[in-house]
Amino acid sequence: MLENRIIQKTLRVPAGVGAAGDGAPVARQLDAALLDVGFSASRALLEHVGTLAPGPAMDLAATVVSAVRELVGDHVRHNAYFIGFPHDVPDTVEFWAERLRAAVLAGSGPEVDLAGGLNLLELPGYGAYQHTYAELLAAHDELVGSAGDRVTVLHLGDPAEVEASRLYLALAGSTTPLGEADLALLGELAVACADGMQPDEIPVRENRAVLNGIRLVLGRPLVAVDTVTDVLRLACQVSAGDVSLRTATRFRAFRRPERRVLLAALNEVVGAGPAKLGDVGRYAERWKRLGERLHPHEHGQWPHAAKVFAVARGELRVRTLAGRAEAAIGAGEIGAAASILSAAPGLLLRSADTLLRRATGAERATVVDAVTDALGTASGRVLCSLREHVGNRRTPVPARMYASRSRNSWVGPDRRPPLPAELIAELSARLDAGIGARLPRWERPLLVDPAVLEVALPLSGKAAEDGFAVLPRGSRAAVTGELLRFFTYWRQTSRRTDYDLSVLLLDEDFQPAGQVSWTNYRLDGVVHSGDLTDAAEGATEFIDVPLGMRGSYVVPQVNIYSGESFDEVAESMFGYQTRAAGRRGAPFDPRTVRARSSMRGSGRVALPMVFVPGPAGWQAVWLHLYLSGRPSFNRVEANGFTTADRVRALMERRYLTVAYLVDLWRADTEVTSWDGRPPDGPVTFIGIDRPENLPEGSEIYTLERLHELIPA
């Protein structure tokens, strides 16, 4: 299972182990099987499989094919309600009339409520497959391969333990927070690599909690615990709770040795810095619950630890740094507030906008100087976040969007006065200098794939879903082909669950211009595959969108009509394919899948992405947003204006992209655009996919490594 995740995460296949022999026939079979799902094995990988005996070669090949099929969503059967989709989809009204007529003739129609009308969803045969997956395939011609099909290359890696260690160190040492899937993977790798090389630094505190959770269970010393909140995160981790502290955790009973380790860690942190007790109040209730499990009153040898729980109970009052700064701001003493916050550089930079808006002319210079002094000690991720923020403060935006860590979002008016242009220019220049000074330096020429330039910097893995070819929020990717095909698949855990794939069309002013969903199967060439209302065995819905259609914004969304939420179902995914117009084949073919993402947010309406036309053709722009929606009966017709507000807010925001970092590197590095031709010597390559013909000794940064470019 771990090898599967390594392949899916890195597109590198751990070298197989086993007896040598003639595995050439297996290598040929592997190559053919991979092409069927839109992948190809590098020459080195095929040669490696060919040197193994047939048994080990077959085991390795099976692992590879299984991993990539799951990666693009081909591990399940994607059936469609209308067997002839997209060619034999009826008009919506005609379909309902035929369903009702069939029910009446069969004498099995639903009861009619004279006050409330007729529930069409209860018509016999509605919402359930009327044919098998085999019958669906038989009704469609075989998909003929096309030069436009996606081909993703898999490369040969080192032995599994080496690949696991490399990925472990990269995730543990990430300078940006990881998403839920990567945090879970980090936990698996931490167990597998417990006796191997350990990271020199663990910048992200949630990563520390995951690693220390493993160390606590194994009875090993904790690492990098320097705040009381680190201990709280650790307790949440080993209780199978939320290390981000976004939701409360039900703490488990701790063994006596575990209680001693946790209390000793608290005692050491508070003893070294009593001011850190100020962090307790934010999570006071959770500290109370944890105290019930740790029994600090039984351990008098750790008096500083006992103070943590005294603060949580309100028996000991501690004035926090943030509280002191807020008091100064409330009194109009902005310079004093900046001085107070200078003790916490990250908090100062996150508060910079508030301070600058409220500062007078003389105080503004004090704030700018304090911000400049903090640039050398705050994390690179915070510097980049502030640089992006400053770049969006020239004018008030029509709609200001807020997105939480769980990717829930809401929109409100932007009542902030704009920052002066000269202040924005000064701050931007200082931030550029600070970020540029901390970027990695390349001894080799920098070779950049133009396709990666519009990828937003991955400042947090929590702003994106896990999946295949998934980009950070705000990233843009070119869309080729003549037809977009969206698909969503879900499989319920225990309750009947109805998800509805829909498309909202917006005009150039972000006003709703039409929709296609289970209530409207067709509009201007856009076609729905039919509604499914139960997913005990899994269900898939599709929507086709011709790229020659009228309209400015195409917004696919998934609405929960009833049943389990996105984080309750056994599995759920969204993706899109591209095809030539009129191209036959089954509704789902992995070779045409351009991206596939999980859906695990806490809202009831998923907004994965938006598609927009431009001078150079259509682009996919990643949203990674969720609407709270209603508990049940969510429909695209009911959230059109809410969705439009979020699309507008995101489309009008300027994101910091890879192009920003490349421009900073140009000052002292030779930068060349990748045109497909191999360079003369080793390079540092940054791109979407790894080329196969780079010289030996090249350093390669593709999607899974872009976070490593963010300075620590």
Side-chain angles (χ1 to χ4, degrees), residues 465-495:
E465 294 280 10
D466 187 40
F468 170 69
V470 175
L471 303 179
R473 179 182 297 140
S475 298
R476 293 171 175 257
V479 177
T480 59
E482 300 169 307
L483 181 75
L484 270 175
R485 176 166 295 171
F486 304 128
F487 65 92
T488 190
Y489 170 88
W490 73 102
R491 178 167 55 87
Q492 63 207 41
T493 301
S494 57
R495 291 184 289 143

PDB file of all heavy atoms in Angstrom, residues 465-495:
ATOM      1  N   GLU A 465      -7.365  19.899  -2.763  1.00  0.00           N
ATOM      2  CA  GLU A 465      -7.724  18.506  -2.524  1.00  0.00           C
ATOM      3  C   GLU A 465      -6.604  17.589  -2.995  1.00  0.00           C
ATOM      4  O   GLU A 465      -5.715  17.988  -3.759  1.00  0.00           O
ATOM      5  CB  GLU A 465      -9.013  18.159  -3.285  1.00  0.00           C
ATOM      6  CG  GLU A 465     -10.247  18.892  -2.801  1.00  0.00           C
ATOM      7  CD  GLU A 465     -10.848  18.283  -1.547  1.00  0.00           C
ATOM      8  OE1 GLU A 465     -10.193  17.406  -0.934  1.00  0.00           O
ATOM      9  OE2 GLU A 465     -11.964  18.686  -1.168  1.00  0.00           O
ATOM     10  N   ASP A 466      -6.673  16.345  -2.567  1.00  0.00           N
ATOM     11  CA  ASP A 466      -5.758  15.329  -3.052  1.00  0.00           C
ATOM     12  C   ASP A 466      -6.263  14.826  -4.405  1.00  0.00           C
ATOM     13  O   ASP A 466      -7.460  14.888  -4.692  1.00  0.00           O
ATOM     14  CB  ASP A 466      -5.715  14.170  -2.041  1.00  0.00           C
ATOM     15  CG  ASP A 466      -4.657  13.153  -2.378  1.00  0.00           C
ATOM     16  OD1 ASP A 466      -3.559  13.552  -2.785  1.00  0.00           O
ATOM     17  OD2 ASP A 466      -4.934  11.944  -2.244  1.00  0.00           O
ATOM     18  N   GLY A 467      -5.354  14.322  -5.243  1.00  0.00           N
ATOM     19  CA  GLY A 467      -5.802  13.769  -6.514  1.00  0.00           C
ATOM     20  C   GLY A 467      -4.711  13.761  -7.565  1.00  0.00           C
ATOM     21  O   GLY A 467      -3.519  13.723  -7.257  1.00  0.00           O
ATOM     22  N   PHE A 468      -5.132  13.812  -8.819  1.00  0.00           N
ATOM     23  CA  PHE A 468      -4.225  13.753  -9.966  1.00  0.00           C
ATOM     24  C   PHE A 468      -4.247  15.081 -10.706  1.00  0.00           C
ATOM     25  O   PHE A 468      -5.319  15.593 -11.053  1.00  0.00           O
ATOM     26  CB  PHE A 468      -4.653  12.624 -10.913  1.00  0.00           C
ATOM     27  CG  PHE A 468      -3.942  12.629 -12.237  1.00  0.00           C
ATOM     28  CD1 PHE A 468      -2.596  12.312 -12.316  1.00  0.00           C
ATOM     29  CD2 PHE A 468      -4.611  12.974 -13.401  1.00  0.00           C
ATOM     30  CE1 PHE A 468      -1.926  12.331 -13.539  1.00  0.00           C
ATOM     31  CE2 PHE A 468      -3.967  12.977 -14.627  1.00  0.00           C
ATOM     32  CZ  PHE A 468      -2.618  12.658 -14.688  1.00  0.00           C
ATOM     33  N   ALA A 469      -3.057  15.658 -10.960  1.00  0.00           N
ATOM     34  CA  ALA A 469      -2.917  16.928 -11.670  1.00  0.00           C
ATOM     35  C   ALA A 469      -3.726  18.036 -11.008  1.00  0.00           C
ATOM     36  O   ALA A 469      -4.260  18.931 -11.670  1.00  0.00           O
ATOM     37  CB  ALA A 469      -3.324  16.783 -13.136  1.00  0.00           C
ATOM     38  N   VAL A 470      -3.824  17.975  -9.684  1.00  0.00           N
ATOM     39  CA  VAL A 470      -4.550  18.988  -8.917  1.00  0.00           C
ATOM     40  C   VAL A 470      -3.602  20.140  -8.619  1.00  0.00           C
ATOM     41  O   VAL A 470      -2.483  19.933  -8.159  1.00  0.00           O
ATOM     42  CB  VAL A 470      -5.107  18.396  -7.614  1.00  0.00           C
ATOM     43  CG1 VAL A 470      -5.751  19.477  -6.771  1.00  0.00           C
ATOM     44  CG2 VAL A 470      -6.117  17.300  -7.931  1.00  0.00           C
ATOM     45  N   LEU A 471      -4.048  21.367  -8.874  1.00  0.00           N
ATOM     46  CA  LEU A 471      -3.232  22.552  -8.667  1.00  0.00           C
ATOM     47  C   LEU A 471      -3.783  23.388  -7.518  1.00  0.00           C
ATOM     48  O   LEU A 471      -4.966  23.273  -7.169  1.00  0.00           O
ATOM     49  CB  LEU A 471      -3.201  23.397  -9.943  1.00  0.00           C
ATOM     50  CG  LEU A 471      -2.698  22.694 -11.214  1.00  0.00           C
ATOM     51  CD1 LEU A 471      -2.751  23.652 -12.396  1.00  0.00           C
ATOM     52  CD2 LEU A 471      -1.292  22.152 -11.017  1.00  0.00           C
ATOM     53  N   PRO A 472      -2.955  24.242  -6.902  1.00  0.00           N
ATOM     54  CA  PRO A 472      -3.430  25.091  -5.806  1.00  0.00           C
ATOM     55  C   PRO A 472      -4.517  26.061  -6.262  1.00  0.00           C
ATOM     56  O   PRO A 472      -4.638  26.379  -7.445  1.00  0.00           O
ATOM     57  CB  PRO A 472      -2.166  25.852  -5.377  1.00  0.00           C
ATOM     58  CG  PRO A 472      -1.023  25.016  -5.853  1.00  0.00           C
ATOM     59  CD  PRO A 472      -1.499  24.370  -7.122  1.00  0.00           C
ATOM     60  N   ARG A 473      -5.288  26.529  -5.304  1.00  0.00           N
ATOM     61  CA  ARG A 473      -6.360  27.494  -5.594  1.00  0.00           C
ATOM     62  C   ARG A 473      -5.802  28.718  -6.323  1.00  0.00           C
ATOM     63  O   ARG A 473      -4.769  29.263  -5.949  1.00  0.00           O
ATOM     64  CB  ARG A 473      -7.031  27.937  -4.301  1.00  0.00           C
ATOM     65  CG  ARG A 473      -8.146  28.960  -4.503  1.00  0.00           C
ATOM     66  CD  ARG A 473      -8.734  29.399  -3.186  1.00  0.00           C
ATOM     67  NE  ARG A 473      -9.349  28.274  -2.495  1.00  0.00           N
ATOM     68  CZ  ARG A 473      -9.256  28.070  -1.184  1.00  0.00           C
ATOM     69  NH1 ARG A 473      -8.550  28.883  -0.434  1.00  0.00           N
ATOM     70  NH2 ARG A 473      -9.846  27.027  -0.636  1.00  0.00           N
ATOM     71  N   GLY A 474      -6.493  29.123  -7.381  1.00  0.00           N
ATOM     72  CA  GLY A 474      -6.071  30.271  -8.171  1.00  0.00           C
ATOM     73  C   GLY A 474      -5.178  29.921  -9.342  1.00  0.00           C
ATOM     74  O   GLY A 474      -4.902  30.786 -10.177  1.00  0.00           O
ATOM     75  N   SER A 475      -4.720  28.672  -9.420  1.00  0.00           N
ATOM     76  CA  SER A 475      -3.865  28.250 -10.533  1.00  0.00           C
ATOM     77  C   SER A 475      -4.673  28.142 -11.814  1.00  0.00           C
ATOM     78  O   SER A 475      -5.860  27.821 -11.801  1.00  0.00           O
ATOM     79  CB  SER A 475      -3.228  26.894 -10.227  1.00  0.00           C
ATOM     80  OG  SER A 475      -2.398  26.960  -9.091  1.00  0.00           O
ATOM     81  N   ARG A 476      -3.980  28.372 -12.934  1.00  0.00           N
ATOM     82  CA  ARG A 476      -4.602  28.271 -14.250  1.00  0.00           C
ATOM     83  C   ARG A 476      -3.870  27.229 -15.086  1.00  0.00           C
ATOM     84  O   ARG A 476      -2.640  27.155 -15.048  1.00  0.00           O
ATOM     85  CB  ARG A 476      -4.571  29.625 -14.971  1.00  0.00           C
ATOM     86  CG  ARG A 476      -5.432  30.686 -14.311  1.00  0.00           C
ATOM     87  CD  ARG A 476      -5.202  32.061 -14.915  1.00  0.00           C
ATOM     88  NE  ARG A 476      -6.116  33.053 -14.357  1.00  0.00           N
ATOM     89  CZ  ARG A 476      -7.193  33.525 -14.964  1.00  0.00           C
ATOM     90  NH1 ARG A 476      -7.494  33.095 -16.193  1.00  0.00           N
ATOM     91  NH2 ARG A 476      -7.974  34.417 -14.379  1.00  0.00           N
ATOM     92  N   ALA A 477      -4.647  26.446 -15.831  1.00  0.00           N
ATOM     93  CA  ALA A 477      -4.074  25.437 -16.717  1.00  0.00           C
ATOM     94  C   ALA A 477      -4.796  25.501 -18.051  1.00  0.00           C
ATOM     95  O   ALA A 477      -6.032  25.659 -18.103  1.00  0.00           O
ATOM     96  CB  ALA A 477      -4.207  24.037 -16.113  1.00  0.00           C
ATOM     97  N   ALA A 478      -4.047  25.399 -19.141  1.00  0.00           N
ATOM     98  CA  ALA A 478      -4.647  25.438 -20.474  1.00  0.00           C
ATOM     99  C   ALA A 478      -5.522  24.212 -20.706  1.00  0.00           C
ATOM    100  O   ALA A 478      -5.200  23.112 -20.248  1.00  0.00           O
ATOM    101  CB  ALA A 478      -3.556  25.506 -21.536  1.00  0.00           C
ATOM    102  N   VAL A 479      -6.629  24.402 -21.403  1.00  0.00           N
ATOM    103  CA  VAL A 479      -7.554  23.316 -21.737  1.00  0.00           C
ATOM    104  C   VAL A 479      -7.555  23.147 -23.245  1.00  0.00           C
ATOM    105  O   VAL A 479      -7.862  24.087 -23.986  1.00  0.00           O
ATOM    106  CB  VAL A 479      -8.980  23.628 -21.236  1.00  0.00           C
ATOM    107  CG1 VAL A 479      -9.948  22.531 -21.663  1.00  0.00           C
ATOM    108  CG2 VAL A 479      -8.982  23.773 -19.722  1.00  0.00           C
ATOM    109  N   THR A 480      -7.193  21.959 -23.698  1.00  0.00           N
ATOM    110  CA  THR A 480      -7.186  21.668 -25.127  1.00  0.00           C
ATOM    111  C   THR A 480      -8.371  20.774 -25.474  1.00  0.00           C
ATOM    112  O   THR A 480      -9.043  20.247 -24.596  1.00  0.00           O
ATOM    113  CB  THR A 480      -5.875  20.977 -25.519  1.00  0.00           C
ATOM    114  OG1 THR A 480      -5.742  19.760 -24.755  1.00  0.00           O
ATOM    115  CG2 THR A 480      -4.678  21.874 -25.231  1.00  0.00           C
ATOM    116  N   GLY A 481      -8.605  20.600 -26.768  1.00  0.00           N
ATOM    117  CA  GLY A 481      -9.723  19.774 -27.190  1.00  0.00           C
ATOM    118  C   GLY A 481     -10.932  20.615 -27.545  1.00  0.00           C
ATOM    119  O   GLY A 481     -10.923  21.846 -27.439  1.00  0.00           O
ATOM    120  N   GLU A 482     -12.000  19.933 -27.931  1.00  0.00           N
ATOM    121  CA  GLU A 482     -13.216  20.620 -28.361  1.00  0.00           C
ATOM    122  C   GLU A 482     -14.383  20.396 -27.414  1.00  0.00           C
ATOM    123  O   GLU A 482     -15.396  21.079 -27.495  1.00  0.00           O
ATOM    124  CB  GLU A 482     -13.612  20.131 -29.761  1.00  0.00           C
ATOM    125  CG  GLU A 482     -12.533  20.379 -30.815  1.00  0.00           C
ATOM    126  CD  GLU A 482     -12.823  19.661 -32.119  1.00  0.00           C
ATOM    127  OE1 GLU A 482     -13.052  18.423 -32.088  1.00  0.00           O
ATOM    128  OE2 GLU A 482     -12.832  20.340 -33.159  1.00  0.00           O
ATOM    129  N   LEU A 483     -14.224  19.425 -26.489  1.00  0.00           N
ATOM    130  CA  LEU A 483     -15.330  19.056 -25.611  1.00  0.00           C
ATOM    131  C   LEU A 483     -14.811  18.807 -24.208  1.00  0.00           C
ATOM    132  O   LEU A 483     -13.844  18.073 -24.011  1.00  0.00           O
ATOM    133  CB  LEU A 483     -16.018  17.789 -26.133  1.00  0.00           C
ATOM    134  CG  LEU A 483     -17.212  17.292 -25.321  1.00  0.00           C
ATOM    135  CD1 LEU A 483     -18.429  18.169 -25.578  1.00  0.00           C
ATOM    136  CD2 LEU A 483     -17.534  15.839 -25.688  1.00  0.00           C
ATOM    137  N   LEU A 484     -15.441  19.453 -23.228  1.00  0.00           N
ATOM    138  CA  LEU A 484     -15.169  19.179 -21.816  1.00  0.00           C
ATOM    139  C   LEU A 484     -16.178  18.162 -21.327  1.00  0.00           C
ATOM    140  O   LEU A 484     -17.381  18.271 -21.636  1.00  0.00           O
ATOM    141  CB  LEU A 484     -15.336  20.456 -20.995  1.00  0.00           C
ATOM    142  CG  LEU A 484     -14.146  21.381 -20.786  1.00  0.00           C
ATOM    143  CD1 LEU A 484     -14.613  22.634 -20.048  1.00  0.00           C
ATOM    144  CD2 LEU A 484     -13.064  20.689 -19.999  1.00  0.00           C
ATOM    145  N   ARG A 485     -15.723  17.191 -20.565  1.00  0.00           N
ATOM    146  CA  ARG A 485     -16.651  16.253 -19.934  1.00  0.00           C
ATOM    147  C   ARG A 485     -16.334  16.208 -18.446  1.00  0.00           C
ATOM    148  O   ARG A 485     -15.273  15.745 -18.035  1.00  0.00           O
ATOM    149  CB  ARG A 485     -16.549  14.855 -20.550  1.00  0.00           C
ATOM    150  CG  ARG A 485     -17.446  13.823 -19.853  1.00  0.00           C
ATOM    151  CD  ARG A 485     -17.580  12.551 -20.674  1.00  0.00           C
ATOM    152  NE  ARG A 485     -18.265  12.817 -21.935  1.00  0.00           N
ATOM    153  CZ  ARG A 485     -18.370  11.930 -22.926  1.00  0.00           C
ATOM    154  NH1 ARG A 485     -17.813  10.728 -22.809  1.00  0.00           N
ATOM    155  NH2 ARG A 485     -19.009  12.255 -24.036  1.00  0.00           N
ATOM    156  N   PHE A 486     -17.255  16.702 -17.628  1.00  0.00           N
ATOM    157  CA  PHE A 486     -17.108  16.624 -16.176  1.00  0.00           C
ATOM    158  C   PHE A 486     -17.660  15.292 -15.685  1.00  0.00           C
ATOM    159  O   PHE A 486     -18.626  14.754 -16.251  1.00  0.00           O
ATOM    160  CB  PHE A 486     -17.870  17.762 -15.495  1.00  0.00           C
ATOM    161  CG  PHE A 486     -17.464  19.123 -15.969  1.00  0.00           C
ATOM    162  CD1 PHE A 486     -18.413  20.044 -16.402  1.00  0.00           C
ATOM    163  CD2 PHE A 486     -16.139  19.504 -15.972  1.00  0.00           C
ATOM    164  CE1 PHE A 486     -18.045  21.304 -16.830  1.00  0.00           C
ATOM    165  CE2 PHE A 486     -15.750  20.764 -16.405  1.00  0.00           C
ATOM    166  CZ  PHE A 486     -16.711  21.667 -16.837  1.00  0.00           C
ATOM    167  N   PHE A 487     -17.091  14.784 -14.617  1.00  0.00           N
ATOM    168  CA  PHE A 487     -17.647  13.578 -14.003  1.00  0.00           C
ATOM    169  C   PHE A 487     -17.515  13.672 -12.489  1.00  0.00           C
ATOM    170  O   PHE A 487     -16.578  14.268 -11.961  1.00  0.00           O
ATOM    171  CB  PHE A 487     -16.966  12.304 -14.524  1.00  0.00           C
ATOM    172  CG  PHE A 487     -15.510  12.168 -14.171  1.00  0.00           C
ATOM    173  CD1 PHE A 487     -15.099  11.507 -13.022  1.00  0.00           C
ATOM    174  CD2 PHE A 487     -14.527  12.693 -15.004  1.00  0.00           C
ATOM    175  CE1 PHE A 487     -13.756  11.367 -12.711  1.00  0.00           C
ATOM    176  CE2 PHE A 487     -13.179  12.559 -14.704  1.00  0.00           C
ATOM    177  CZ  PHE A 487     -12.795  11.894 -13.549  1.00  0.00           C
ATOM    178  N   THR A 488     -18.500  13.113 -11.803  1.00  0.00           N
ATOM    179  CA  THR A 488     -18.407  12.967 -10.360  1.00  0.00           C
ATOM    180  C   THR A 488     -18.846  11.557 -10.003  1.00  0.00           C
ATOM    181  O   THR A 488     -19.794  11.007 -10.581  1.00  0.00           O
ATOM    182  CB  THR A 488     -19.263  14.008  -9.615  1.00  0.00           C
ATOM    183  OG1 THR A 488     -18.952  13.968  -8.227  1.00  0.00           O
ATOM    184  CG2 THR A 488     -20.753  13.758  -9.787  1.00  0.00           C
ATOM    185  N   TYR A 489     -18.113  10.966  -9.067  1.00  0.00           N
ATOM    186  CA  TYR A 489     -18.413   9.605  -8.599  1.00  0.00           C
ATOM    187  C   TYR A 489     -18.501   9.652  -7.083  1.00  0.00           C
ATOM    188  O   TYR A 489     -17.717  10.338  -6.427  1.00  0.00           O
ATOM    189  CB  TYR A 489     -17.307   8.640  -9.026  1.00  0.00           C
ATOM    190  CG  TYR A 489     -17.400   7.263  -8.390  1.00  0.00           C
ATOM    191  CD1 TYR A 489     -18.150   6.257  -8.981  1.00  0.00           C
ATOM    192  CD2 TYR A 489     -16.742   6.985  -7.201  1.00  0.00           C
ATOM    193  CE1 TYR A 489     -18.254   5.002  -8.394  1.00  0.00           C
ATOM    194  CE2 TYR A 489     -16.832   5.738  -6.604  1.00  0.00           C
ATOM    195  CZ  TYR A 489     -17.592   4.745  -7.201  1.00  0.00           C
ATOM    196  OH  TYR A 489     -17.692   3.502  -6.607  1.00  0.00           O
ATOM    197  N   TRP A 490     -19.456   8.930  -6.533  1.00  0.00           N
ATOM    198  CA  TRP A 490     -19.538   8.812  -5.080  1.00  0.00           C
ATOM    199  C   TRP A 490     -20.059   7.419  -4.712  1.00  0.00           C
ATOM    200  O   TRP A 490     -20.752   6.760  -5.485  1.00  0.00           O
ATOM    201  CB  TRP A 490     -20.437   9.900  -4.485  1.00  0.00           C
ATOM    202  CG  TRP A 490     -21.919   9.732  -4.710  1.00  0.00           C
ATOM    203  CD1 TRP A 490     -22.857   9.277  -3.837  1.00  0.00           C
ATOM    204  CD2 TRP A 490     -22.651  10.045  -5.922  1.00  0.00           C
ATOM    205  NE1 TRP A 490     -24.102   9.282  -4.401  1.00  0.00           N
ATOM    206  CE2 TRP A 490     -24.006   9.751  -5.667  1.00  0.00           C
ATOM    207  CE3 TRP A 490     -22.283  10.547  -7.171  1.00  0.00           C
ATOM    208  CZ2 TRP A 490     -24.991   9.926  -6.640  1.00  0.00           C
ATOM    209  CZ3 TRP A 490     -23.267  10.721  -8.138  1.00  0.00           C
ATOM    210  CH2 TRP A 490     -24.601  10.419  -7.868  1.00  0.00           C
ATOM    211  N   ARG A 491     -19.674   6.968  -3.548  1.00  0.00           N
ATOM    212  CA  ARG A 491     -20.140   5.679  -3.013  1.00  0.00           C
ATOM    213  C   ARG A 491     -20.463   5.886  -1.539  1.00  0.00           C
ATOM    214  O   ARG A 491     -19.606   6.287  -0.749  1.00  0.00           O
ATOM    215  CB  ARG A 491     -19.067   4.600  -3.195  1.00  0.00           C
ATOM    216  CG  ARG A 491     -19.456   3.233  -2.632  1.00  0.00           C
ATOM    217  CD  ARG A 491     -18.502   2.141  -3.126  1.00  0.00           C
ATOM    218  NE  ARG A 491     -17.120   2.460  -2.829  1.00  0.00           N
ATOM    219  CZ  ARG A 491     -16.515   2.156  -1.672  1.00  0.00           C
ATOM    220  NH1 ARG A 491     -17.186   1.563  -0.698  1.00  0.00           N
ATOM    221  NH2 ARG A 491     -15.240   2.479  -1.489  1.00  0.00           N
ATOM    222  N   GLN A 492     -21.720   5.654  -1.210  1.00  0.00           N
ATOM    223  CA  GLN A 492     -22.172   5.927   0.152  1.00  0.00           C
ATOM    224  C   GLN A 492     -21.656   4.887   1.138  1.00  0.00           C
ATOM    225  O   GLN A 492     -21.314   3.765   0.761  1.00  0.00           O
ATOM    226  CB  GLN A 492     -23.705   5.974   0.189  1.00  0.00           C
ATOM    227  CG  GLN A 492     -24.388   4.660  -0.174  1.00  0.00           C
ATOM    228  CD  GLN A 492     -25.779   4.860  -0.752  1.00  0.00           C
ATOM    229  OE1 GLN A 492     -26.009   5.759  -1.554  1.00  0.00           O
ATOM    230  NE2 GLN A 492     -26.714   4.010  -0.358  1.00  0.00           N
ATOM    231  N   THR A 493     -21.615   5.273   2.393  1.00  0.00           N
ATOM    232  CA  THR A 493     -21.147   4.370   3.444  1.00  0.00           C
ATOM    233  C   THR A 493     -22.284   3.521   3.997  1.00  0.00           C
ATOM    234  O   THR A 493     -22.200   2.293   4.032  1.00  0.00           O
ATOM    235  CB  THR A 493     -20.499   5.174   4.586  1.00  0.00           C
ATOM    236  OG1 THR A 493     -19.396   5.921   4.065  1.00  0.00           O
ATOM    237  CG2 THR A 493     -19.997   4.248   5.684  1.00  0.00           C
ATOM    238  N   SER A 494     -23.369   4.163   4.428  1.00  0.00           N
ATOM    239  CA  SER A 494     -24.466   3.400   5.029  1.00  0.00           C
ATOM    240  C   SER A 494     -25.841   3.957   4.679  1.00  0.00           C
ATOM    241  O   SER A 494     -26.814   3.208   4.648  1.00  0.00           O
ATOM    242  CB  SER A 494     -24.306   3.367   6.557  1.00  0.00           C
ATOM    243  OG  SER A 494     -24.253   4.678   7.088  1.00  0.00           O
ATOM    244  N   ARG A 495     -25.945   5.255   4.403  1.00  0.00           N
ATOM    245  CA  ARG A 495     -27.245   5.855   4.119  1.00  0.00           C
ATOM    246  C   ARG A 495     -27.395   6.151   2.632  1.00  0.00           C
ATOM    247  O   ARG A 495     -26.413   6.443   1.956  1.00  0.00           O
ATOM    248  CB  ARG A 495     -27.408   7.179   4.888  1.00  0.00           C
ATOM    249  CG  ARG A 495     -27.537   7.032   6.389  1.00  0.00           C
ATOM    250  CD  ARG A 495     -27.787   8.397   7.020  1.00  0.00           C
ATOM    251  NE  ARG A 495     -26.610   9.248   6.965  1.00  0.00           N
ATOM    252  CZ  ARG A 495     -26.640  10.539   6.757  1.00  0.00           C
ATOM    253  NH1 ARG A 495     -27.789  11.151   6.518  1.00  0.00           N
ATOM    254  NH2 ARG A 495     -25.531  11.254   6.747  1.00  0.00           N
TER     255      ARG A 495
END
